[in-house]
C-alpha cells in the first residue's frame, strides 16, 4: 500500500500541470464515491452530504456554502462524466501548454469554473424558466473549466488542426465554435445548468486569451492568491553540535597546564617568603602532586 501511494505521489510530482489536475479530479471522485458507499452502508443519505461540495443554484443556499464555487469544479456525477472531462483536459492541456504557461493553465482552470458557476447561478435566478427547479438544482463537474481551456487555445491558435476519429482533420476554431453552439442550443435541456456553465467557461477562455494578447492577464489575481496561500516553510536548521577538534583540545590542555603552573609558582613564592608551615593543607597537597609529575 505504501509503495502504491509513493508511486501516485511520484507520478503527481513528475506530471505536467494538466496531469496534476487530472490526478486531483480522479482523487476527489474516488474519495467522494467511497464516502457515498460508506454512508449508504449505514443507511445515511450520502448524496445530501456531498451536496455541500456542489454548487447550488439557489442564492440563499449558496451563501451558506460559498466554498462550493470552487469545490464543484472537481466533482463528477459518474465515471463517464469524469472520463470525458479528463480526456478533453488531457488533449487540450497539451496544446494549451504549447501556447501558454503552467500558471496560466492553473489560473484559467479556476477562472473558467468560477465564471461558469456564476453564470449558472445568474441564469437560474433571473430567467423564470428555471424558477421551478432553482431550489433543488446543483452544479458539478469540470466542464466549464475544460471549455475555458479549449476556447483559449482556439483563440490563440485558431488554424491549428485537430484529428478526430471518423471525422478527420478539423481546425480548432471550428471545434470551439461547435461546442459553444451546442451549449447554446441545449440551454433548456435536461442538463440546462451544465450547458449554461459551459458558456461561462467559454467566455472566461475568450476573455483570458484575447486580453493576454493586449497585455492583460485575467488569471493574474487568481495566481497571486494561490501563491499567497502556498506558504513555503523554510527548512529548520539543525542544531549545531560543536565538536572540538585537536586544536580546541590542545588549547584547553595548555590552558589547564598554564593555570596549574601559575598556582605552583605562587605556592613556591609563599614557601620562600614564609616557610613550609605557612602553607595550607590544600597548598601542601598541590605542591606534593606537582613534585610527582
Amino acid at each position: 500500500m505504501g509503495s502504491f501511494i509513493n508511486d501516485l505521489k511520484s507520478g503527481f510530482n513528475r506530471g505536467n500541470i494538466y496531469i496534476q489536475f487530472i490526478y486531483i479530479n480522479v482523487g476527489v471522485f474516488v474519495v467522494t464515491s467511497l464516502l457515498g458507499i460508506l454512508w449508504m452502508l449505514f443507511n445515511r443519505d450520502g448524496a445530501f452530504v456531498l451536496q455541500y461540495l456542489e454548487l447550488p443554484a439557489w442564492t440563499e443556499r449558496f451563501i451558506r456554502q460559498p466554498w462550493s464555487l470552487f469545490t464543484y469544479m472537481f466533482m463528477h456525477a459518474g465515471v463517464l462524466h469524469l472520463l470525458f472531462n479528463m480526456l478533453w483536459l488531457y488533449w487540450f492541456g497539451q496544446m494549451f501548454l504549447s501556447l501558454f504557461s503552467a500558471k496560466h493553465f492553473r489560473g484559467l482552470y479556476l477562472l473558467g469554473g468560477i465564471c461558469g458557476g456564476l453564470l449558472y447561478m445568474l441564469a437560474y435566478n433571473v430567467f423564470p424558466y428555471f424558477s421551478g427547479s432553482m431550489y433543488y438544482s446543483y452544479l458539478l463537474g469540470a466542464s466549464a473549466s475544460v471549455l475555458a481551456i479549449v476556447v483559449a487555445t482556439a483563440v490563440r491558435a485558431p488554424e491549428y488542426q485537430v484529428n478526430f476519429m471518423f471525422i478527420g482533420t478539423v481546425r480548432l476554431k471550428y471545434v470551439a465554435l461547435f461546442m459553444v453552439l451546442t451549449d447554446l442550443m441545449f440551454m433548456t435541456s435536461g442538463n440546462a445548468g451544465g450547458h449554461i456553465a459551459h458558456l461561462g467557461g467559454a467566455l472566461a477562455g475568450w476573455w483570458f486569451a484575447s486580453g493576454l494578447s493586449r497585455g492583460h492577464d485575467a488569471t493574474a489575481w487568481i495566481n497571486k492568491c494561490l501563491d499567497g496561500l502556498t506558504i513555503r516553510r523554510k527548512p529548520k536548521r539543525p542544531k549545531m553540535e560543536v565538536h572540538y577538534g585537536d586544536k580546541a583540545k590542545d588549547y584547553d590542555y595548555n590552558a589547564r597546564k598554564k593555570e596549574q603552573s601559575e598556582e605552583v609558582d605562587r605556592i613556591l613564592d609563599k614557601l620562600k617568603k614564609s616557610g613550609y608551615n605557612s602553607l595550607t593543607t590544600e597548598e601542601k597537597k598541590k605542591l606534593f602532586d606537582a613534585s610527582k609529575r
Side-chain angles (χ1 to χ4, degrees), residues 140-156:
L140 74 164
S143 303
S145 300
V146 172
L147 201 56
I149 301 294
V150 173
V151 171
T153 308
V155 171
R156 176 58 68 90

Side-chain angles (χ1 to χ4, degrees), residues 111 181 242:
L111 181 64
L181 289 176
V242 180

Side-chain angles (χ1 to χ4, degrees), residues 48-72 121 137-139:
F48 173 76
V49 177
L50 294 178
Q51 282 178 353
Y52 284 99
L53 300 176
E54 300 168 6
L55 182 64
W58 189 22
T59 308
E60 184 177 327
R61 187 177 293 277
F62 169 72
I63 293 173
R64 298 200 294 267
Q65 54 181 85
W67 60 84
S68 60
L69 183 60
F70 299 93
T71 56
Y72 93 90
M121 291 180 59
S137 293
Y138 289 83
L139 180 67

Side-chain angles (χ1 to χ4, degrees), residues 36-227:
I37 293 171
L38 181 64
W39 281 315
M40 287 180 66
L41 291 174
F42 287 95
N43 291 326
R44 303 268 181 170
D45 186 4
F48 173 76
V49 177
L50 294 178
Q51 282 178 353
Y52 284 99
L53 300 176
E54 300 168 6
L55 182 64
W58 189 22
T59 308
E60 184 177 327
R61 187 177 293 277
F62 169 72
I63 293 173
R64 298 200 294 267
Q65 54 181 85
W67 60 84
S68 60
L69 183 60
F70 299 93
T71 56
Y72 93 90
M73 64 185 81
F74 297 98
M75 302 283 291
H76 288 87
V79 175
L80 290 179
H81 187 202
L82 173 71
L83 177 62
F84 284 116
N85 274 340
M86 295 304 101
L87 285 175
W88 280 92
L89 192 63
Y90 178 79
W91 292 328
F92 285 93
Q94 298 178 70
M95 287 186 278
F96 184 92
L97 288 186
S98 67
L99 303 169
F100 305 99
S101 69
K103 268 197 171 184
H104 287 145
F105 183 96
R106 181 182 70 174
L108 185 57
Y109 182 99
L110 296 177
L111 181 64
I114 293 171
C115 290
L118 291 177
L119 186 62
Y120 159 77
M121 291 180 59
L122 180 66
Y124 268 70
N125 285 272
V126 169
F127 296 115
Y129 178 82
F130 301 110
S131 59
S133 58
M134 177 182 65
Y135 301 103
Y136 57 83
S137 293
Y138 289 83
L139 180 67
L140 74 164
S143 303
S145 300
V146 172
L147 201 56
I149 301 294
V150 173
V151 171
T153 308
V155 171
R156 176 58 68 90
E159 302 302 323
Y160 187 91
Q161 295 184 344
V162 184
N163 291 317
F164 288 98
M165 190 180 295
F166 307 122
I167 298 176
T169 302
V170 182
R171 292 177 184 177
L172 189 53
K173 62 183 178 182
Y174 295 126
V175 175
L177 182 61
F178 173 78
M179 295 176 72
V180 171
L181 289 176
T182 302
D183 288 320
L184 284 170
M185 293 173 62
F186 288 94
M187 281 181 61
T188 55
S189 66
N191 185 30
H195 292 291
I196 293 171
H198 296 176
L199 294 174
L203 285 172
W206 172 82
W207 176 27
F208 161 75
S210 60
L212 197 64
S213 63
R214 297 191 299 270
H216 171 69
D217 184 1
T219 64
W221 67 276
I222 295 178
N223 285 316
K224 187 176 181 180
C225 292
L226 291 175
D227 291 338

